[in-house]
Amino acid sequence: MRSFGGNEASEDSKPRGSSSGVKAGKKTASSSKPEFSENAAFLKIFAYQYNKCQEHGGVRCRLELLFVADKVGVEAKDNLALVNRWRLVILALINEVQFQKVEDLKEDDLPTPPHYLVCINPFSGKGKAPQIFEHKVKRMFDEAGITYKKVITERKGHARELAKTMDLEEFSGIIIVSGDGLLFEFINGFREREDREKAFKVPFGMVPGGSGNALCAAVLSSRGEQCHKNIAVHAVMRIIKGKPHLKDLVNVRSQTMNAFSFLSIAWGIIADIDIESERFRFLGETRFTIGSIIRIGFLRKPAGRLSFLEVEDPSRYNHLFQKSPPPASHPGSHGGNQNSNACTEAGHVGVEVPGGNGAREEVELPELSEPVPSNWTVLEGEFVGILIVYISHISNDFVCHPGRPMDEGIILVQYIDSTVGRRDLLSSMEKFKTGDYLRYDVIKTRVVRAFRLEPLNCNGILTVDGERCEYGPIQGAVSSQKCYCIM
Ligand code: ADP
Ligand code: MG
């Protein structure tokens, strides 16, 4: 057996039309590579290796390895059988298929490669989602033997219709190339199905194509991947390697809306930044930085009421608020080892987090017209902003619950009251990147199971999962229904 490999210059290089698998026959090799006999058989392996440590890049480098069986006097069919055996063994090891003897391994022992519905939003982010799919996702899926049906969304609401009507048996999962808004549509399309429980067994994979890619950042960080550079490639690797993991959903209710939310509810400064920066959409994620500076400059403090039911044992979360940070692998680490397999499911290396599973009873919410139960805490006054969040990140630059498992069954209520000024906010901005702001008093945090938010002014912006919704009271509690993310 001989092998040689080529290391491509970048992840962006165009597909060469090669595919994974085995081949037999004469290969006309380039001048630097040897020529093989007509009986030669080939096995090509594609790898996406990290080329550097996380601090200095952490990008993946595409590698093609060609293995050749070309023994003198051996027939083509025997060479082909040999490389096919190598292929079966490698795939069995990757897929953790148990086998006693190499000779016993059969094609049928291996799991069938998935068939996905790929949903691409041409409107999301800078409008580059179709190109991200063509230049990054497609080739990697082809190399991994993943098949798919591609749908480009034609309008707002299209994904929701697809989710309501799709044949659940047809696909192993749904891959969304967009921001969080398209996933919100899918989740709520599933919610409206009669076979809702069955629908929620279909897992979601996210490839970041939007300007808000919170779920993708949370998934990558929980697997120890970095979520800043070339994240589409990291996300596709997670989808190819990953297995479905449970993710909490929160039942949210307003006067006109009944929905499942998977990220956050924002009112005040964060919602304003998210929506008012829409006009800078062409800048991608940079729109949030510009929006923040403008909004802090023109600080508003609307009146509101915030009510919540705290978890039974808030001290379990004290590690988030301790002034001296726990020993993490390096500053800004959301997981440590970017080769992820060394990372626990809970993610944050060095921080002991309460384990997820969230199999708790649903809190029964009162009608919005009724007062909250007497065991809830009620805060009333002026707020710079309120963020109610049930995920580790609300963007790849904003970590609101470091190391959080995806299905912990809790909600963080974070609020900035009227005592906080511009200088405090500006000095906190750097700390958003790591979640370190939780250790200071500018933003106060409570760990809760249910909440109600009531703006007491007439006009403003309220968002659910980054999408603007009707302005008015809204409440929510962790649902017993969960969805699956491919991680
Ligand atoms: P971003 O992170 O850039 O906001 P999202 O995934 O949140 O990206 O999508 C933004 C919005 O685009 C969603 O509300 C979605 O419903 C809507 N949408 C989907 N397809 C289209 C389309 N073809 N034209 C216009 N809007 C669309
Ligand atoms: Mg969006």
Side-chain angles (χ1 to χ4, degrees):
M1 180 179 89
R2 282 166 278 175
S3 82
F4 52 85
N7 204 343
E8 286 196 0
S10 90
E11 298 165 343
D12 291 320
S13 52
K14 297 277 180 296
R16 289 179 182 167
S18 54
S19 64
S20 57
V22 295
K23 255 188 182 170
K26 185 168 178 169
K27 185 174 172 69
T28 319
S30 66
S31 55
S32 60
K33 291 171 185 171
E35 200 165 304
F36 303 108
S37 81
E38 283 186 342
N39 289 344
F42 306 90
L43 172 68
K44 198 180 253 184
I45 295 179
F46 305 98
Y48 285 79
Q49 270 187 329
Y50 268 100
N51 62 347
K52 280 183 185 162
C53 61
Q54 191 167 347
E55 291 93 328
H56 300 112
V59 295
R60 287 183 185 274
C61 199
R62 185 172 179 276
L63 198 68
E64 277 187 19
L65 290 166
L66 187 66
F67 293 87
V68 186
D70 190 17
K71 213 169 166 189
V72 180
V74 172
E75 285 186 40
K77 71 171 176 32
D78 295 326
N79 280 330
L80 196 58
L82 178 64
V83 292
N84 203 33
R85 181 119 348 261
W86 298 340
R87 185 180 71 87
L88 286 178
V89 171
I90 292 166
L91 288 175
L93 292 171
I94 289 172
N95 289 291
E96 293 169 24
V97 172
Q98 302 287 329
F99 59 95
Q100 296 296 323
K101 282 196 241 146
V102 170
E103 297 74 41
D104 295 344
L105 259 180
K106 292 183 293 301
E107 199 74 44
D108 291 351
D109 298 331
L110 300 174
T112 323
H115 178 62
Y116 288 132
L117 175 65
V118 176
C119 206
I120 305 165
N121 179 357
F123 178 74
S124 62
K126 294 184 193 170
K128 295 268 165 58
Q131 287 94 315
I132 291 172
F133 178 77
E134 289 303 323
H135 298 156
K136 305 211 168 173
V137 186
K138 189 174 177 302
R139 174 167 73 171
M140 291 175 77
F141 273 12
D142 290 346
E143 289 166 353
I146 292 172
T147 56
Y148 53 86
K149 178 180 169 185
K150 183 175 96 173
V151 177
I152 305 227
T153 54
E154 288 162 13
R155 59 195 169 275
K156 197 175 176 73
H158 187 179
R160 199 174 185 129
E161 289 158 28
L162 282 173
K164 275 159 75 173
T165 54
M166 68 180 272
D167 177 2
L168 298 174
E169 306 291 338
E170 197 182 337
F171 303 104
S172 337
I174 295 161
I175 306 304
I176 289 175
V177 190
S178 183
D180 300 305
L182 211 67
L183 179 60
F184 182 81
E185 282 197 21
F186 250 104
I187 285 179
N188 283 289
F190 275 179
R191 185 182 177 279
E192 287 164 25
R193 288 180 70 117
E194 279 183 11
D195 55 353
R196 179 204 281 193
E197 287 212 6
K198 185 174 173 200
F200 275 111
K201 294 210 164 71
V202 179
F204 296 103
M206 293 295 292
V207 178
S211 39
N213 303 299
L215 185 75
C216 191
V219 163
L220 291 180
S221 115
S222 76
R223 306 310 287 166
E225 305 268 0
Q226 62 90 8
C227 55
H228 294 276
K229 286 186 195 162
N230 295 74
I231 49 174
V233 176
H234 299 307
V236 182
M237 274 310 281
R238 288 290 3 140
I239 290 168
I240 291 171
K241 285 165 70 171
K243 299 192 169 53
H245 280 71
L246 282 169
K247 159 83 188 81
D248 281 331
L249 294 174
V250 166
N251 229 326
V252 296
R253 279 188 227 153
S254 72
Q255 276 153 346
T256 54
M257 180 179 62
N258 232 332
F260 279 152
S261 161
F262 61 95
L263 290 181
S264 62
I265 290 176
W267 174 68
I269 190 161
I270 288 176
D272 295 354
I273 290 167
D274 201 355
I275 301 303
E276 287 169 357
S277 69
E278 278 279 341
R279 62 199 150 117
F280 305 120
R281 176 170 280 277
F282 63 94
L283 294 172
E285 287 170 7
T286 314
R287 76 172 161 114
F288 299 124
T289 312
I290 293 178
S292 310
I293 293 163
I294 295 173
R295 184 60 177 71
I296 291 173
F298 299 94
L299 203 58
R300 300 172 205 141
K301 296 181 177 176
R305 191 182 301 124
L306 174 64
S307 316
F308 48 81
L309 172 68
E310 276 196 86
V311 293
E312 291 76 13
D313 184 10
S315 64
R316 294 179 75 199
Y317 301 92
N318 280 350
H319 63 274
L320 290 174
F321 313 115
Q322 275 156 11
K323 285 275 187 291
S324 55
S329 49
H330 62 83
S333 161
H334 315 135
N337 183 350
Q338 61 264 51
N339 283 320
S340 80
N341 295 336
C343 183
T344 65
E345 199 164 307
H348 200 55
V349 172
V351 179
E352 201 184 307
V353 291
N357 66 43
R360 298 182 183 91
E361 243 175 62
E362 243 178 67
V363 174
E364 209 174 306
L365 289 168
E367 288 299 319
L368 264 177
S369 53
E370 290 170 9
V372 295
S374 57
N375 58 341
W376 287 38
T377 306
V378 181
L379 305 172
E380 191 171 323
E382 289 181 340
F383 294 89
V384 171
I386 295 178
L387 174 68
I388 297 164
V389 64
Y390 11 95
I391 194 152
S392 61
H393 293 56
I394 56 164
S395 78
N396 55 4
D397 269 340
F398 197 131
V399 183
C400 37
H401 188 159
R404 179 191 172 128
M406 302 289 270
D407 65 331
E408 205 177 351
I410 54 142
I411 296 169
L412 287 197
V413 164
Q414 307 191 336
Y415 59 95
I416 309 172
D417 62 29
S418 60
T419 58
V420 173
R422 286 188 187 86
R423 193 179 298 175
D424 299 321
L425 283 170
L426 284 170
S427 66
S428 299
M429 276 181 72
E430 256 314 288
K431 301 187 183 87
F432 294 156
K433 292 184 180 161
T434 56
D436 271 354
Y437 70 91
L438 295 171
R439 305 180 197 287
Y440 301 86
D441 292 332
V442 174
I443 299 174
K444 299 186 173 65
T445 299
R446 302 290 185 88
V447 188
V448 313
R449 295 187 63 203
F451 65 87
R452 179 183 288 179
L453 165 60
E454 296 162 276
L456 298 175
N457 60 348
C458 303
N459 294 310
I461 296 174
L462 189 67
T463 62
V464 175
D465 295 354
E467 299 291 312
R468 191 169 190 171
C469 66
E470 162 218 17
Y471 196 65
I474 189 162
Q475 62 182 11
V478 182
S479 171
S480 54
Q481 178 69 64
K482 289 166 194 290
C483 67
Y484 283 96
C485 290
I486 306 172
M487 297 167 73

